[in-house]
Amino acid sequence: MSNLTGKVALVTGASRGIGRACAIKLASLGAKVVVNYNKNQSAADEVVATIKSSGGEAIAVPGDVSQFVAAQSIIKATIDTFGRLDILVNNAGTTRDTLLAIMKEEEFDSVIQTNLKSVFNMSKAALRQMMRQKYGRIVNMASVAGIVGNPGQTNYSASKAGIIGFTKAMAKEYGSKNIAVNAVAPGYIPTDLTNVLPQEVKDGIVKMTALGRMGTAEEIANVVAFLASDEASYITGQVIAVDGGMV
């Protein structure tokens, strides 16, 4: 894996799960990392401490990325601290699973706002700095649900499909500025979001994979780190499913 020394990476929703794994992986390759979180400061501080204990550099920056003003302040804090921004990992997300017939409007809106609008907010806020540098790597967290759909997740599937469309369009807009934009679509990864699922649902998902097992947050982070590196310099506008052969 290529060296990220001298690069500055910002990971949203990085206090736990896949975001945490991404922050730690990028730091292990030499990047200075901004650990963004919304509510759980102690968890974010633990991620920073983990990175520092391995000799890395990191800070925790709070902010609700679903709000544009907050997104701008997170980007500003990053540049004020480290002087640049090379890698943006748009990972923050939520679920409000229920069947469409009984889904409340608020359950739809909040998932679109948190998952999809946040990608707009952060990408737009990061753009000026990346254009000034003539360099940027944006990795958006989609989902296999955005590719094949998932019952009980019309809101989540729509938000993740939206991220895929956004990724492809932005890649075409800013490729000439040396800004690469890609998406990773995880399959079933045990995190706080998926732990609430009934066991029989989990067993059913595992049966759908070719590899016959769940994935790990670290396996997602490895692909994110690759896409964030110069080894992926000719890859943009792509969606890479990391799903054990589910789709």
Side-chain angles (χ1 to χ4, degrees):
M1 185 70 75
S2 75
N3 193 333
L4 297 178
T5 302
K7 298 283 199 288
V8 175
L10 164 57
V11 183
T12 69
S15 64
R16 59 187 184 175
I18 291 171
R20 178 184 188 277
C22 289
I24 291 169
K25 179 68 179 182
L26 294 169
S28 76
L29 297 172
K32 297 169 183 173
V33 178
V34 176
V35 175
N36 160 255
Y37 67 96
N38 186 16
K39 296 192 178 92
N40 198 337
Q41 185 181 346
S42 60
D45 288 342
E46 184 274 327
V47 178
V48 170
T50 300
I51 289 169
K52 287 182 172 174
S53 70
S54 304
E57 234 182 297
I59 59 168
V61 176
D64 179 357
V65 292
S66 74
Q67 305 301 315
F68 186 64
V69 172
Q72 289 176 305
S73 72
I74 296 162
I75 297 290
K76 183 178 186 304
T78 301
I79 296 164
D80 287 349
T81 304
F82 293 125
R84 58 187 295 120
L85 173 60
D86 302 286
I87 299 159
L88 170 62
V89 181
N90 283 313
N91 166 76
T94 190
T95 54
R96 300 288 292 277
D97 297 356
T98 189
L99 294 171
L100 182 60
I102 53 174
M103 184 180 289
K104 297 181 177 72
E105 185 180 7
E106 182 271 324
E107 290 171 325
F108 184 86
D109 290 347
S110 71
V111 170
I112 296 293
Q113 183 83 19
T114 301
N115 296 5
L116 179 56
K117 180 79 187 315
S118 64
V119 174
F120 163 83
N121 291 343
M122 293 301 296
S123 301
K124 183 171 167 65
L127 202 49
R128 183 181 296 163
Q129 181 66 27
M130 288 183 171
M131 286 174 70
R132 190 179 293 140
Q133 295 167 183
K134 296 187 172 57
Y135 183 93
R137 297 283 179 268
I138 298 177
V139 185
N140 297 323
M141 203 59 66
S143 167
V144 293
I147 301 171
V148 296
N150 211 19
Q153 291 194 317
T154 49
N155 48 4
Y156 185 77
S157 300
S159 71
K160 295 301 187 176
I163 287 171
I164 290 169
F166 183 99
T167 298
K168 293 183 177 193
M170 188 179 177
K172 289 184 174 176
E173 284 185 19
Y174 295 101
S176 64
K177 307 289 189 205
N178 195 27
I179 298 170
V181 189
N182 292 288
V184 174
Y188 182 58
I189 312 295
T191 64
D192 290 352
L193 282 187
T194 57
N195 286 344
V196 297
L197 295 171
Q199 190 58 45
E200 63 268 20
V201 173
K202 294 179 187 178
D203 293 343
I205 295 170
V206 168
K207 283 200 186 83
M208 288 160 58
T209 67
L211 296 179
R213 66 171 177 86
M214 303 171 192
T216 68
E218 288 70 30
E219 286 173 318
I220 304 300
N222 289 340
V223 180
V224 170
F226 168 67
L227 291 172
S229 78
D230 289 335
E231 287 180 357
S233 52
Y234 201 53
I235 301 173
T236 194
Q238 297 305 302
V239 182
I240 301 181
V242 187
D243 66 352
M246 187 188 287
V247 304

